[in-house]
Amino acid sequence: MSTTNNIAQARKLVEQLRIEAGIERIKVSKAAADLMNYCEQHARSDPLLVGVPASENPFKDKKPCIIL
Amino acid sequence: MGEMEQLRKEADSLKDQITAARKEVQDQTLQDAAAGITVVSRVQLKTRKTLRGHLAKIYAVHWSTDSKLCVSASQDGKLIVWDSYTTNKVNAIPLKSSWVMTCSYAPSGNLVACGGLDNMCSIYNLKGKDGNVKVMRELAAHTGYLSCCRFLSDSEIITSSGDCTCVLWDIETGTQKTVFAGHIGDCMSLGVSPDFKMFISGACDYTAKLWDIREGTCRQTFAGHESDINAIGFLPNGNGVITGSDDSTCKMYDIRADQELIAYQDSSIMCGVTSLAPSVSGRLILAGYDDFNCNIWDSLKAERVGVLAGHDNRVSCIGVTPDGMAACTGSWDSFLKIWN
């Protein structure tokens, strides 16, 4: 019978919930605003978002120019 | 009233307190806050490179901090370090156990790690004196499979396991520094915060937990998913946490508001999420699914803005380069593809 085990586990859970209940929370409106600001500030330097010019794309094979 | 009954009541009361506290700060939804911005225009990424060489399902891929090299793990029993610009294989490392589920590249570029059904995390030195790549350490103590591992430095690594715990290891001595216990289901994935002070874990108990690395404590628990969380990561701002689940949705939680901000779902998507990665601004979330595709989501508007179609089997892993220049997908079809 693991009743002592169960009680120990239950005590730990209550202890953990106390910690989680006690944290400071900011308003969702602030969290959302900060998130949107971050995205906006970094959008221009996000290659997957704004695209990569072929000349600056390290993954694009640079074909040599052949002058006919 | 017995102690067990008392504890149960106290636990329920605390859970109600947390729910109420979260509701109290919910003065707006992200949906409302983002109402004034337009959805990003259609994102069309092309396959720039295909990395061929593995002979079986690929389970994991991780970029080096140089955004050029990456390491992949396959159940063909090999770790391959690739030069993604040229598609050359820099190293092909044979593993003792072929049942590998995860791999990681150290920030320094000196080490790689992997692990799986052998319950161990094996560390390999890429820069050994004689040029041969050898096992440097075998970190053994988990009593379940190794699902994920991430280096903090050349001397510390964090692992997540099917034994429901995560562990911080001292690589030098091969010992456990801290055991992070609390999940009641297999830990499937972990992500380290940009400042290296925290990490998050996603588990088969449907929750994600935020841990303080130095204190060794769980700070917050995020619920809401209706099935196993397979993938987890931080948004580049360090405050957002994204999760991907077998319930076919991805979610974004905010650490400071301590709650879910938005879900990425579509009634037409009915299969599990296997992997995810944010773009460098956090505006795009790339998510790999069981249905062989990868969807690209606008993180603020929760709309699908692109698809990466090209694999012939499940997309099992995905990663965006630290410089944001490209995404790499790994699949059960044995190929890795580089997209931008």
Side-chain angles (χ1 to χ4, degrees):
Chain A
M1 220 22 205
S2 57
T3 19
T4 32
N5 221 358
N6 285 346
I7 291 194
Q9 261 187 339
R11 277 197 203 127
K12 268 198 186 143
L13 177 61
V14 166
E15 212 179 289
Q16 179 59 35
L17 286 170
R18 277 203 197 114
I19 294 174
E20 295 185 20
I23 62 159
E24 298 265 324
R25 295 170 180 82
I26 65 165
K27 296 234 185 287
V28 172
S29 55
K30 168 120 176 72
D34 286 354
L35 176 60
M36 285 162 53
N37 274 339
Y38 188 96
C39 287
E40 205 194 323
Q41 274 171 32
H42 293 83
R44 259 151 292 149
S45 40
D46 185 342
L48 295 181
L49 189 58
V50 300
V52 191
S55 52
E56 289 166 37
N57 191 347
F59 300 100
K60 203 148 197 242
D61 291 320
K62 288 175 180 59
K63 293 196 165 72
C65 283
I66 303 170
I67 301 176
L68 298 168
Chain B
M1 202 191 299
E3 189 181 357
M4 197 60 197
E5 186 56 31
Q6 230 172 352
L7 290 169
R8 208 171 288 144
K9 275 202 156 193
E10 209 180 336
D12 285 341
S13 159
L14 286 165
K15 284 178 190 166
D16 288 342
Q17 261 181 61
I18 292 172
T19 304
R22 284 171 170 162
K23 197 110 184 80
E24 214 194 299
V25 296
Q26 199 185 38
D27 57 339
Q28 200 187 27
T29 61
L30 175 57
Q31 211 162 348
D32 289 335
I37 61 175
T38 27
V39 184
V40 303
S41 42
R42 189 126 196 98
V43 175
Q44 283 172 318
L45 305 183
K46 297 200 175 98
T47 302
R48 300 296 176 188
K49 303 283 179 196
T50 298
L51 306 179
R52 294 166 220 272
H54 278 302
L55 304 171
K57 295 176 176 169
I58 290 172
Y59 274 80
V61 69
H62 194 216
W63 285 102
S64 164
T65 43
D66 70 1
S67 295
K68 182 177 74 147
L69 301 181
C70 65
V71 63
S72 61
S74 161
Q75 292 202 349
D76 64 3
K78 292 236 167 46
L79 272 193
I80 297 181
V81 177
W82 308 83
D83 176 331
S84 63
Y85 291 176
T86 61
T87 74
N88 288 341
K89 298 175 191 49
V90 180
N91 302 104
I93 306 163
L95 305 174
K96 270 194 203 174
S97 162
S98 63
W99 304 112
V100 66
M101 295 172 68
T102 180
C103 62
S104 178
Y105 220 125
S108 65
N110 295 330
L111 312 173
V112 288
C114 69
L117 294 184
D118 59 355
N119 297 2
M120 290 195 311
C121 183
S122 301
I123 314 284
Y124 294 83
N125 186 355
L126 296 177
K127 309 287 172 74
K129 287 195 178 104
D130 56 357
N132 276 340
V133 176
K134 287 188 298 219
V135 182
M136 199 181 95
R137 283 291 175 276
E138 281 175 341
L139 307 174
H142 278 300
T143 53
Y145 59 87
L146 206 83
S147 52
C148 193
C149 58
R150 284 293 178 259
F151 283 93
L152 294 182
S153 66
D154 279 4
S155 53
E156 287 180 317
I157 192 168
I158 299 184
T159 55
S160 63
S161 168
D163 68 10
C164 308
T165 70
C166 295
V167 172
L168 169 68
W169 303 82
D170 178 326
I171 295 176
E172 193 57 33
T173 59
T175 56
Q176 296 173 84
K177 268 186 164 170
T178 315
V179 177
F180 300 89
H183 276 298
I184 52 174
D186 299 14
C187 294
M188 298 302 292
S189 184
L190 75 98
V192 180
S193 66
D195 67 6
F196 289 91
K197 290 183 180 167
M198 313 264 185
F199 78 93
I200 36 170
S201 56
C204 293
D205 59 9
Y206 310 176
T207 71
K209 283 179 182 288
L210 174 72
W211 309 87
D212 183 316
I213 296 177
R214 299 305 153 195
E215 299 280 307
T217 52
C218 171
R219 293 252 240 97
Q220 289 161 255
T221 301
F222 302 101
H225 275 297
E226 294 169 356
S227 187
D228 302 351
I229 293 176
N230 299 316
I232 198 163
F234 271 93
L235 280 189
N237 68 355
N239 293 326
V241 169
I242 40 176
T243 53
S245 166
D246 270 348
D247 68 9
S248 77
T249 75
C250 296
K251 287 178 188 291
M252 193 218 298
Y253 300 88
D254 187 280
I255 289 177
R256 296 178 306 160
D258 186 40
Q259 56 193 274
E260 177 184 329
L261 291 192
I262 204 157
Y264 307 99
Q265 59 194 39
D266 190 303
S267 52
S268 65
I269 303 174
M270 289 176 290
C271 61
V273 179
T274 60
S275 48
L276 45 68
S279 72
V280 101
S281 68
R283 187 62 195 266
L284 301 176
I285 295 175
L286 289 77
Y289 293 74
D290 283 342
D291 68 358
F292 312 177
N293 284 330
C294 183
N295 288 319
I296 305 177
W297 296 88
D298 177 327
S299 66
L300 301 178
K301 304 293 284 182
E303 284 187 39
R304 259 200 294 186
V305 294
V307 165
L308 300 181
H311 282 293
D312 294 323
N313 207 321
R314 178 185 290 194
V315 173
S316 57
C317 50
I318 189 163
V320 172
T321 54
D323 66 5
M325 198 55 84
C328 177
T329 50
S331 166
W332 280 9
D333 68 8
S334 83
F335 302 118
L336 295 142
K337 287 181 183 290
I338 313 286
W339 312 74
N340 71 11

